[in-house]
Amino acid sequence: MDSGLKTHVENLREVLLSLPHSGSSGFEGLIGLTLWSITEIPFRLAGSGSQFGLDGKSSFKIDPICFECKRYDKSPSRESILSKITDLSINGHEVDIWVLASTASIKTQLIDDVRKAGDKNGLFVFVLDW
Protein backbone atom coordinates (compact mmCIF):
# COMPACT_ATOMS: atom_id res chain seq x y z
CA MET A 1 0.00 0.00 0.00
CA ASP A 2 1.46 3.37 -0.93
CA SER A 3 2.11 5.84 1.87
CA GLY A 4 -0.66 8.26 0.81
CA LEU A 5 -3.32 5.57 0.83
CA LYS A 6 -1.97 4.17 4.10
CA THR A 7 -2.31 7.60 5.70
CA HIS A 8 -5.91 7.95 4.50
CA VAL A 9 -6.79 4.47 5.80
CA GLU A 10 -5.22 5.23 9.19
CA ASN A 11 -7.10 8.56 9.34
CA LEU A 12 -10.38 6.81 8.50
CA ARG A 13 -9.80 4.28 11.26
CA GLU A 14 -9.08 7.05 13.78
CA VAL A 15 -12.30 8.86 12.81
CA LEU A 16 -14.38 5.67 13.13
CA LEU A 17 -12.87 4.90 16.53
CA SER A 18 -13.56 8.46 17.70
CA LEU A 19 -17.31 8.06 17.09
CA PRO A 20 -19.54 7.10 20.01
CA HIS A 21 -20.38 3.38 20.04
CA SER A 22 -24.11 3.95 19.79
CA GLY A 23 -26.75 6.43 18.78
CA SER A 24 -27.64 8.19 15.57
CA SER A 25 -24.42 10.26 15.63
CA GLY A 26 -22.27 7.23 16.51
CA PHE A 27 -20.95 4.15 14.76
CA GLU A 28 -24.41 2.51 14.79
CA GLY A 29 -25.92 5.54 13.08
CA LEU A 30 -23.16 5.57 10.48
CA ILE A 31 -23.74 1.89 9.68
CA GLY A 32 -27.50 2.43 9.49
CA LEU A 33 -27.05 5.32 7.05
CA THR A 34 -24.48 3.38 5.02
CA LEU A 35 -26.77 0.36 4.70
CA TRP A 36 -29.65 2.67 3.77
CA SER A 37 -27.58 4.25 0.98
CA ILE A 38 -26.52 0.82 -0.34
CA THR A 39 -29.89 -0.96 -0.10
CA GLU A 40 -32.33 1.99 -0.26
CA ILE A 41 -33.97 0.44 2.82
CA PRO A 42 -34.43 2.79 5.79
CA PHE A 43 -33.19 1.53 9.16
CA ARG A 44 -34.05 2.34 12.76
CA LEU A 45 -31.69 2.04 15.70
CA ALA A 46 -32.54 -0.03 18.75
CA GLY A 47 -32.82 1.76 22.07
CA SER A 48 -30.42 1.27 24.93
CA GLY A 49 -30.72 -1.82 27.09
CA SER A 50 -31.14 -5.41 25.96
CA GLN A 51 -31.03 -5.37 22.19
CA PHE A 52 -30.99 -9.14 21.66
CA GLY A 53 -28.37 -9.18 18.92
CA LEU A 54 -29.33 -6.15 16.91
CA ASP A 55 -28.39 -2.51 17.03
CA GLY A 56 -30.70 -1.59 14.20
CA LYS A 57 -33.15 -3.11 11.76
CA SER A 58 -35.10 -2.18 8.70
CA SER A 59 -38.00 0.16 9.27
CA PHE A 60 -40.47 -2.06 7.45
CA LYS A 61 -41.30 -5.71 8.08
CA ILE A 62 -41.10 -6.45 4.36
CA ASP A 63 -37.30 -5.83 4.53
CA PRO A 64 -36.02 -8.47 6.96
CA ILE A 65 -32.52 -7.07 7.58
CA CYS A 66 -30.84 -6.08 10.83
CA PHE A 67 -27.33 -5.14 11.89
CA GLU A 68 -25.01 -5.41 14.87
CA CYS A 69 -22.10 -2.99 15.35
CA LYS A 70 -18.81 -3.56 17.12
CA ARG A 71 -16.70 -0.41 17.38
CA TYR A 72 -13.49 -1.86 18.79
CA ASP A 73 -9.83 -1.06 18.36
CA LYS A 74 -8.96 -4.79 18.48
CA SER A 75 -10.76 -7.95 17.40
CA PRO A 76 -13.95 -8.61 19.36
CA SER A 77 -14.03 -11.75 21.47
CA ARG A 78 -15.61 -14.94 20.23
CA GLU A 79 -18.16 -14.78 23.04
CA SER A 80 -19.20 -11.21 22.26
CA ILE A 81 -20.04 -12.11 18.66
CA LEU A 82 -21.57 -15.55 19.15
CA SER A 83 -23.74 -14.28 22.00
CA LYS A 84 -25.24 -11.63 19.69
CA ILE A 85 -26.31 -14.04 16.96
CA THR A 86 -27.56 -16.48 19.61
CA ASP A 87 -29.62 -13.72 21.27
CA LEU A 88 -31.07 -12.78 17.91
CA SER A 89 -32.03 -16.35 17.02
CA ILE A 90 -33.67 -17.22 20.36
CA ASN A 91 -35.69 -14.01 20.58
CA GLY A 92 -37.71 -14.62 17.45
CA HIS A 93 -36.76 -11.58 15.40
CA GLU A 94 -38.22 -11.85 11.93
CA VAL A 95 -35.06 -11.22 9.92
CA ASP A 96 -33.33 -13.09 7.13
CA ILE A 97 -30.08 -11.11 6.93
CA TRP A 98 -27.85 -10.21 9.87
CA VAL A 99 -25.09 -7.70 9.08
CA LEU A 100 -22.13 -7.67 11.47
CA ALA A 101 -20.13 -4.43 11.19
CA SER A 102 -16.84 -4.08 13.05
CA THR A 103 -14.07 -1.51 13.10
CA ALA A 104 -11.67 -4.34 13.94
CA SER A 105 -10.73 -7.41 11.98
CA ILE A 106 -12.64 -10.58 12.86
CA LYS A 107 -10.80 -13.88 12.57
CA THR A 108 -11.97 -16.21 9.83
CA GLN A 109 -12.59 -19.06 12.28
CA LEU A 110 -15.06 -16.89 14.18
CA ILE A 111 -16.77 -15.73 10.99
CA ASP A 112 -17.14 -19.37 9.93
CA ASP A 113 -18.76 -20.22 13.28
CA VAL A 114 -21.07 -17.20 13.15
CA ARG A 115 -22.16 -18.18 9.65
CA LYS A 116 -22.83 -21.76 10.83
CA ALA A 117 -24.97 -20.41 13.68
CA GLY A 118 -26.78 -18.21 11.21
CA ASP A 119 -27.38 -21.10 8.82
CA LYS A 120 -28.92 -23.19 11.62
CA ASN A 121 -31.38 -20.37 12.30
CA GLY A 122 -32.17 -19.42 8.72
CA LEU A 123 -30.06 -16.24 8.83
CA PHE A 124 -27.70 -15.08 6.13
CA VAL A 125 -24.68 -13.48 7.84
CA PHE A 126 -22.92 -10.63 6.06
CA VAL A 127 -19.70 -9.39 7.70
CA LEU A 128 -18.23 -5.91 7.20
CA ASP A 129 -15.04 -5.83 9.23
CA TRP A 130 -11.83 -3.91 9.10
Side-chain angles (χ1 to χ4, degrees):
M1 181 182 317
D2 73 40
S3 63
L5 179 59
K6 185 176 181 179
T7 300
H8 289 303
V9 169
E10 289 170 1
N11 290 342
L12 174 60
R13 184 162 165 76
E14 285 180 32
V15 168
L16 291 175
L17 291 173
S18 72
L19 292 172
H21 289 272
S22 59
S24 60
S25 62
F27 185 58
E28 293 173 353
L30 175 65
I31 295 301
L33 288 172
T34 301
L35 290 174
W36 187 353
S37 71
I38 293 168
T39 65
E40 296 185 0
I41 297 170
F43 289 84
R44 294 185 190 277
L45 297 180
S48 59
S50 296
Q51 298 173 328
F52 304 108
L54 65 87
D55 290 323
K57 67 188 256 182
S58 57
S59 296
F60 305 108
K61 191 174 183 177
I62 194 169
D63 303 310
I65 302 171
C66 70
F67 61 89
E68 174 69 25
C69 298
K70 296 292 182 191
R71 199 218 64 185
Y72 293 143
D73 59 349
K74 57 185 172 186
S75 293
S77 72
R78 175 180 176 79
E79 295 76 22
S80 72
I81 301 296
L82 286 176
S83 68
K84 295 299 183 178
I85 196 162
T86 301
D87 281 346
L88 180 68
S89 64
I90 64 175
N91 283 290
H93 293 289
E94 297 176 359
V95 295
D96 295 334
I97 301 172
W98 187 65
V99 178
L100 173 60
S102 174
T103 55
S105 178
I106 301 174
K107 296 176 183 162
T108 189
Q109 300 95 320
L110 178 52
I111 291 173
D112 290 345
D113 288 346
V114 168
R115 287 186 174 144
K116 286 177 194 173
D119 287 346
K120 287 183 179 184
N121 293 290
L123 291 169
F124 177 79
V125 174
F126 186 76
V127 180
L128 298 168
D129 67 333
W130 192 257

